[in-house]
Amino acid sequence: MEAHMPDFALPSSYPALNGRKTAKSARDSFSAYNSKYLTVPQNRTSWHRSGTNGALEASVVSYRSSIINNYVEGTQTGARDKASPSGLHFRDSKRKVDYVLAYHYRKCLARHVPGAASPEPRRRSASMALVSNGSTGKGRAEPQQQQQQDDGQRALQEWPGLPGLEVVELSPLDTLEEERRLQREEYECNLLEAGLEIEKDPENKSQGVSFVRIHAPWQVLSREAELLKIKMPTKKMYEITEEKGILKTLNEIWCKLTEPLQPQVPQQENSKMKTLSYPFSREKIYLYNIKDKDTFFDNATRSRIVREILKRTSTKARNSMGIGTLIANNVYDAAYPLHDGEYEGQNDDTNERKLLYQEWARYGVFYKFQPINLIRKYFGEKIGLYFAWLGLYTEFLIPSSIVGIIVFLYGCITIESDIPSKEMCDQRNAFTMCPLCDKFCDYWNLSSACATARASHLFDNPATVFFSIFMALWATMFLEQWKRLQMRLSYFWDLTGLEEEEEHPRPEYETKLLQKKLKNKNITTESSNENEKEKLTWSDRMPGYAVNFGLILFMIMLAFSAVFGVIVYRITTAAALSFSTNETTRSNVRVTVTATAVIINLVVVLILDEIYGAVAKWLTEIEIPKTEKTFEERLILKAFLLKFVNSYASIFYVAFFKGRFVGRPGHYVYVFEGYRMEECAPGGCLMELCIQLSIIMLGKQLIQNNLFEIGIPKLKKLFRKLKDERTEVKEMDTDQSKDPQQWDLDYILEPFTGLTPEYMEMIIQFGFVTLFVASFPLAPVFALLNNIIEVRLDAKKFVTELRRPDTVREKDIGIWYNILSGIGKLSVIINAFVIAVTSDFIPRLMYQYAYSQNGTMHGFINHTLSYFNVSQLKAGTQPENSLFAQEVSFCRFKDYREPPWSPHQYEFSKQYWAVLSARLAFVILFQNLVMFLSVLVDWMIPDIPKDISEQIKKEKTVLVDFFLKEEHKKLKLIESFIAHDKRKRRSGTKSRRTRAASFSQCHRSPKGSFTSFSSQHTVV
């Protein structure tokens, strides 16, 4: 479409504006003029006052309302009447909308420069206004600014060919808005030069949201697909070799059994055939199966190509490096591809989004498998891999949940036959225990802790050792199976041999690099791009690294401080409740303190989690990573480190530190000069560890993973809607009665911020399932229940609540696999210490086989309790007004120490050292055994399935044969053309000679010689 020329004539030396050029030349000529002044044409413009609000409206179709080159002309009335019915095309209903840019606009209200002739005091600036990129004037003009203003006015007066210009003064806000408008115009014209086609909405209100719709024609798509080396389907299809024998039979049986669980989505017509793919090349376009150029590239590929163009297209204003910088500078608000229509409605049009919602993103289809191929097609490979990983993880939780339930049931069944629990509950044994606190606590009978002992047996039994080994092997098998599935998906998704694409630098990196160049070389912006090899060094990033180290250390100490604060709360609360005169309160001190402390700890963990996420992002930004991939990896490492410490610090304390530094009666360890360190319950710390782990895990899953994920996006959406309504000026809009288009509906959705939060919550859950599983065998069960909801929750969020993400091609899950592998190895060590140190498994084993007289567990409780002479209690620590039924000479406490009548009284006994040696030996044996089995499983299961390995080799052979065959066809076709052309030339030459001979015979000279016209003029 031809460009509309401006309403005023430019000087002859001024470059002409056309459909491929921007308004840059006009803007540059005003560079001497101060940015607070605006020049608008007064001819061909008539102003009238609106009767409703008194505002002045321009009844003129301005330069901006006519769109240059591939823009579509928009008028201020009836523009939406021409809109595409589906909302996915331009107004011609033919060209697809591949990408959308959204921005807020506000029309300028300017005032005249003093002394300028003007019939009216205030006017709205015309849409063709030009403004330079100078600084914004505030308050009184400085001498330099005044000089610039005078120079600009003088330059304006000296311009020939600019009659009737009006000079108006802009406010700072209007200046900023005008500068953004000029940046948008320049950027959009640069997009046109890149070959894209653009359609814009008319700005028919004083302020509001406007959309720029972008379409990529075939020439651009084919060019960029070749540059990006995008694999596209060729004409060749080949057969996939199926597994044979018993595996094939089992696979067929499994497919028949799971047929009701399969989602009802379109499948490939022949699943035994695969289309050969090859990186797109315009020179070899005859290789590809191009039936329709409009549908050859799917929507995800088209939007990916447009995004690449947007990222590398720059503007000179503020040295913009692409769409990322423009969004950061609020030139544009958002950039996003469109969804494929509405996901629910009365219309019968079925699109991929609606199909995903019906078969995947509803809680009612929780029992169905995920349509992974459709997810990948709609959202891209990166998101497809996440949901494939999440689905495999959820499937693997089923066997671990079954085994965990069996272990728990084993504890329930054997609780009646557990001899130590019986001895502890038997009141005839009458183990008189030492006071739990000084002065206010009385002696107590061990049988009063019967319920705790019986509950501990549910989780502290020999089956938990087996379950720990099982879960370590389970984690290894899960990672191995994921590698195999990842390889299978890479083959079917044509990701094999995917090269690392060269990423564009982040806008923050480019800005910092530009500042460095300007600072070091003191050169202008125009010449600052000459040295492209210059980059940020470690010295430039050193301040960021120092802040990172210090702040991360501080945040870790903050998490430890929170744990210590909860410890102090438990100690002080237990002491305060012990002073109570209420018997019920005193008897339930331990239960009350434990329950309230765990709830407080959960609240602290949730609060710090949100803080740590924001801190990790800020710390990564000040490091100034060069690319988005580097930024994401560093953010993941920081966030995982901080959230790991926050989530597990209190659990580590209960498992390995609580009750280890208590001391003994008569020599207790005190904090704050009066409070004794807390000790474990009579049944051990394993039961309290189970309570701590279960409440934190369930609380995080219920509150953070579900309520926050559902509630926070809805609150953000409501807040943004209220904000837009509050800032929107109430004006008559001719479009309000029309149905909103797809870009309007997508704009109000939440922007996609990445997969890091989704992965992070699952990785933390994976830690709960594997790290302390010896203390809580039901952890996989609760994780499975959560994940069944989580899959559908995430699916619904992606389909209904988020803007469509940009498609990203990734062949693996990146750094997350390394984190999972590290957690799996760490879980072996932690579970070994939990069994050896926290539980009573080793002391029971040692007693049964080393100290028991008859090889049974009878007498185990008495063996683990030491004696203390109450007369040796420090003054002021004895129980006051003891209500104990009998006179107490000796009290018991849980430890391996010499009795009072021993020469080495209260020192560690030989049994203590024997048990300690057995615990360390168990840790070493358990760790090496499980590590060996894990390596064995890793070795036995190949990373690449055998059938996939064979298919990859076959695909290479088929590709070579296909190329040779097509090239042979091409050569034969060329040869036939050449032969045909030769024959045609020969026949043409022969006919010409015959005609020439006959012609020459008819023209003899008078002397009898031939005068051949052809011989004189056509001799070759």
Side-chain angles (χ1 to χ4, degrees), residues 221-222 224-238 274-290 296-297 301 304 376 491-499 809 955-964 966-967:
L221 293 172
S222 57
E224 297 298 322
E226 185 173 356
L227 291 174
L228 297 173
K229 299 179 181 179
I230 298 176
K231 284 189 175 183
M232 300 304 296
T234 63
K235 300 175 183 177
K236 179 67 176 177
M237 295 187 72
Y238 65 96
K274 183 179 184 296
T275 304
L276 186 67
S277 296
Y278 185 73
F280 189 81
S281 172
R282 287 175 290 179
E283 293 181 355
K284 297 182 175 62
I285 200 167
Y286 55 87
L287 299 175
Y288 304 96
N289 187 21
I290 305 177
F296 179 66
F297 295 101
T301 306
R304 177 190 169 203
R376 169 253 177 178
Y491 167 69
F492 284 105
W493 292 353
D494 297 319
L495 299 175
T496 52
L498 180 66
E499 299 178 4
R809 288 176 69 84
E955 187 177 57
K956 292 180 180 178
T957 306
V958 171
L959 183 63
V960 172
D961 293 342
F962 176 62
F963 261 48
L964 292 175
E966 290 295 325
E967 289 295 328

Side-chain angles (χ1 to χ4, degrees), residues 258-265 358-360 362-371 395 791-792:
T258 59
E259 189 173 354
L261 306 179
Q262 298 295 337
Q264 302 300 316
V265 296
Q358 292 173 350
E359 296 295 326
W360 179 53
R362 293 188 299 116
Y363 295 111
V365 292
F366 72 92
Y367 59 91
K368 288 188 176 182
F369 292 117
Q370 299 185 90
E395 290 174 13
V791 171
R792 306 303 160 179

Side-chain angles (χ1 to χ4, degrees), residues 601-602 647 650-651 692-700 768:
N601 193 69
L602 173 63
S647 299
S650 59
I651 300 173
Q692 185 91 5
L693 179 66
S694 60
I695 291 181
I696 291 179
M697 177 183 176
L698 297 177
K700 278 179 67 68
F768 283 121

Side-chain angles (χ1 to χ4, degrees), residues 263 370-377 384-385 387-389 489 493:
Q370 299 185 90
I372 291 298
N373 290 322
L374 185 59
I375 296 169
R376 169 253 177 178
K377 182 183 178 184
L385 284 174
F387 281 104
W389 174 85
L489 293 175
W493 292 353

